[in-house]
């Protein structure tokens, strides 16, 4: 059963939306790492384990040719290296370099660090935010 939104609902959503929009991490990724969010996500995924080009394309839900272009660029920057697949030499496995591993860790920090205003909230407010958004997220999953 869905209720009709009230002005209070709209006001709350507008405040949440404005806050989240102001936290756009794309500028920070560009400024500090010269990465877009897609490339940052690829590096973060590769930090978990090396992947084939096809696996990268599937994880990012993009065309394999787009992955080739992106990996070429990351390879030129010294962030990744391609090696032949141990079982199929026609395929390539992409690995992070040490520099790529450090860049992936920095990207992960940028994308997951709480916004600056959060440290000013007391435990009660943080618990309330956590409860509210956990509840909203669980509704979205149902």
């Amino acid at each position: 059963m869905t209720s009709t939104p009230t002005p209070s609902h709209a006001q709350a959503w507008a405040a949440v939306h404005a806050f989240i929009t102001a936290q756009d991490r794309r500028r920070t990724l560009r400024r500090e790492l010269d990465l877009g969010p897609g490339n940052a996500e690829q590096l973060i995924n590769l930090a978990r384990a090396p992947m084939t080009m096809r696996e990268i394309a599937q994880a990012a839900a993009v065309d394999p040719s787009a992955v080739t272009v992106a990996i070429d660029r990351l390879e030129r920057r010294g962030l990744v290296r391609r090696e032949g697949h141990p079982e199929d030499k026609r395929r390539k496995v992409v690995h992070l370099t040490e520099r790529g591993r450090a860049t992936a860790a920095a990207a992960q920090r940028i994308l997951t660090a709480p916004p600056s205003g959060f440290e000013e909230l007391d435990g009660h407010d943080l618990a309330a935010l956590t409860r509210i958004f956990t509840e909203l997220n669980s509704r979205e999953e149902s």
Side-chain angles (χ1 to χ4, degrees):
M1 176 177 179
T2 320
S3 62
T4 304
T6 66
S8 295
H9 291 107
Q11 184 179 10
W13 172 245
V16 169
H17 187 266
F19 180 79
I20 291 171
T21 302
Q23 306 309 314
D24 184 0
R25 307 297 170 95
R26 291 178 290 189
R27 283 181 239 139
T28 306
L29 285 170
R30 282 267 180 236
R31 184 179 64 247
E32 294 184 19
L33 303 175
D34 192 25
L35 287 177
N39 284 339
E41 195 64 36
Q42 288 173 344
L43 293 176
I44 291 166
N45 286 337
L46 287 167
R48 293 182 190 109
M51 300 169 76
T52 65
M53 300 289 279
R54 180 176 298 198
E55 290 168 335
I56 295 169
Q58 289 171 340
V62 297
D63 188 77
S65 62
V67 170
T68 300
V69 171
I71 296 300
D72 285 348
R73 195 173 306 127
L74 294 172
E75 193 170 37
R76 281 193 301 273
R77 291 184 57 192
L79 301 174
V80 301
R81 70 179 188 287
R82 284 180 258 215
E83 295 180 3
H85 192 281
E87 298 166 8
D88 182 354
K89 295 300 180 191
R90 294 171 295 174
R91 295 175 19 200
K92 299 290 183 189
V93 179
V94 180
H95 297 262
L96 287 181
T97 62
E98 285 304 314
R99 183 175 173 198
R101 197 165 296 291
T103 303
Q108 182 74 31
R109 280 191 303 278
I110 289 168
L111 291 171
T112 60
S116 60
F118 268 46
E119 69 268 3
E120 297 170 16
L121 296 175
D122 66 25
H124 176 76
D125 288 341
L126 285 172
L129 277 174
T130 301
R131 180 186 54 73
I132 290 166
F133 283 102
T134 299
E135 182 178 329
L136 289 172
N137 287 329
S138 70
R139 290 180 186 177
E140 289 295 317
E141 293 170 1
S142 318

